[in-house]
Amino acid sequence: MAALRNTHALEKQAVQMLERQIERYRHDPDLIQALRLHTSETDQQIMPLADILHNHGEDRSLLKDVVTQTAGNVAALVHSVTTDEVLKNLYTDYSVETSAIAADTSLIAIAEAAGHIQDVALLKQSLKEEKAAEAVFAQIVPVTPGYLEREARGAKSDR
């Protein structure tokens, strides 16, 4: 259950970070669209985790949710004062996503070992959705030249 609560909190943190990024970007409409899609997908992944917890008589950890959501906001704030904010955020988004993939993979192994077959199906669906979230990562290459061009002109290149 601890692993489920942690993964639930990780997904809530991801939503907070993505929402802060969307609020700040203006140069990269394709990136904004990818972030909105990823935020929506992440929101949808939170519910099955909460359902699994509930089905086992557990609940999400409000403290973990608050702490990780605060961490997501702090991460976005820290990056916002850097000149390469958009790049740092993309790197962080990639790291968080790979952590979520690892967490889902581990949760599947835990559920299988415990014989919770109904949970395995939900977790495998979540893992499939995590792996499909390549839209944000696909933006790293197109966003970088735009950042470099703005930086070279001395324009506001952070976002």
Side-chain angles (χ1 to χ4, degrees):
M1 292 304 111
L4 276 167
R5 282 190 291 275
N6 290 339
T7 303
H8 182 272
L10 174 69
E11 296 291 1
K12 299 280 272 188
Q13 176 185 0
V15 168
Q16 287 296 313
M17 287 186 343
L18 293 167
E19 287 175 348
R20 296 300 76 79
Q21 291 171 24
I22 292 167
E23 290 170 0
R24 296 185 52 79
Y25 294 156
R26 63 178 174 269
H27 290 302
D28 301 295
D30 290 340
L31 174 59
I32 293 167
Q33 182 178 348
L35 290 171
R36 284 187 177 134
L37 176 63
H38 188 48
T39 302
S40 174
E41 290 168 345
T42 303
D43 269 336
Q44 292 173 12
Q45 291 167 339
I46 291 170
M47 284 306 299
L49 295 172
D51 290 345
I52 292 170
L53 283 165
H54 180 75
N55 291 342
H56 291 284
E58 300 285 331
D59 199 2
R60 64 187 172 83
S61 170
L62 183 58
L63 177 61
K64 282 184 183 180
D65 283 356
V66 169
V67 168
T68 56
Q69 288 179 58
T70 301
N73 283 320
V74 168
L77 177 64
V78 168
H79 290 172
S80 72
V81 297
T82 64
T83 59
D84 58 347
E85 174 186 2
V86 68
L87 298 180
K88 281 190 170 75
N89 283 338
L90 283 168
Y91 307 156
T92 300
D93 294 344
Y94 186 78
S95 296
V96 169
E97 197 59 35
T98 56
S99 292
I101 289 169
D104 283 351
T105 302
S106 181
L107 287 172
I108 291 166
I110 292 168
E112 287 174 342
H116 297 295
I117 303 306
Q118 70 281 6
D119 297 345
V120 171
L122 287 172
L123 294 167
K124 283 186 176 181
Q125 180 60 36
S126 180
L127 178 61
K128 181 180 174 183
E129 291 167 2
E130 293 287 3
K131 288 181 176 179
E134 292 292 322
V136 173
F137 313 127
Q139 292 300 310
I140 292 172
V141 172
V143 166
T144 301
Y147 160 79
L148 290 172
E149 186 270 325
R150 288 187 299 278
E151 185 77 10
R153 284 189 290 120
K156 188 83 170 145
S157 60
D158 58 346
R159 55 186 176 272

